[in-house]
Amino acid sequence: MFQGASAITLDAKGRMSIPAKHRDALSIQCEGRLTLTKHPDGCLLMYPRQVWEAKRDQIAAWPMAARGWQRILLGNASDVEMDSAGRILIAPELRDAVGLGREVVLSGMLTHFEIWDPVKRTENEQATIDVGMPDTLSDFSF
């Protein structure tokens, strides 16, 4: 399971080094084969390939009323592989689509990761806090 956040600097070619704490697990779990796609919240999603394939099949089965969401998630999916240095290339189209610059934050979300522009991530978190806890979490205690 993936958790925690890591600040990462993309290189001039748009490559991101996977942090060592996740690199070995991804090498074992999916042989370094990953899939990136856009998330409607303004970040990228990064899935181990077999996890993405199951998710992709679920998304493909959605009804026609969800065709727009299918275009966002499936139409922007890009398969990548870690190189021998533990890096992946984030395509310019995906970087531009979510406004990624040189600095990014990789956030573990248990089964997958989110890749954020640091400013957008902070703004998103603040907006979530400003809205308050949803009723469905009223019984949750920290």
Side-chain angles (χ1 to χ4, degrees):
M1 290 209 237
F2 310 111
Q3 63 184 18
S6 301
I8 300 171
T9 301
L10 300 183
D11 70 12
K13 295 180 180 179
R15 292 178 297 193
M16 179 181 81
S17 289
I18 303 296
K21 65 183 177 182
H22 300 304
R23 191 178 306 153
D24 291 341
L26 288 170
S27 292
I28 292 167
Q29 182 179 351
C30 61
E31 299 174 338
R33 297 178 329 139
L34 304 161
T35 299
L36 302 172
T37 193
K38 281 174 46 175
H39 188 286
D41 283 348
C43 65
L44 295 179
L45 298 171
M46 182 175 82
Y47 284 93
R49 184 75 47 79
Q50 76 275 12
V51 175
W52 168 251
E53 289 170 351
K55 186 71 66 178
R56 178 196 63 203
D57 293 345
Q58 290 175 333
I59 295 166
W62 289 350
M64 285 298 293
R67 179 61 93 204
W69 290 103
Q70 288 173 319
R71 283 188 192 101
I72 291 170
L73 296 164
L74 301 176
N76 289 290
S78 174
D79 292 337
V80 298
E81 292 193 22
M82 282 193 307
D83 65 14
S84 60
R87 300 172 300 193
I88 60 163
L89 175 65
I90 302 175
E93 297 83 8
L94 287 175
R95 293 193 315 263
D96 292 344
V98 298
L100 293 182
R102 196 158 154 73
E103 304 300 321
V104 302
V105 176
L106 180 72
S107 296
M109 301 295 293
L110 298 183
T111 61
H112 63 283
F113 296 89
E114 294 179 346
I115 304 170
W116 284 92
D117 168 82
V119 172
K120 278 189 180 179
R121 182 175 184 259
T122 299
E123 290 170 351
N124 181 277
E125 286 180 358
Q126 189 59 54
T128 299
I129 291 166
D130 291 347
V131 169
M133 291 282 260
D135 291 340
T136 56
L137 299 180
S138 62
D139 294 334
F140 182 78
S141 176
F142 291 97

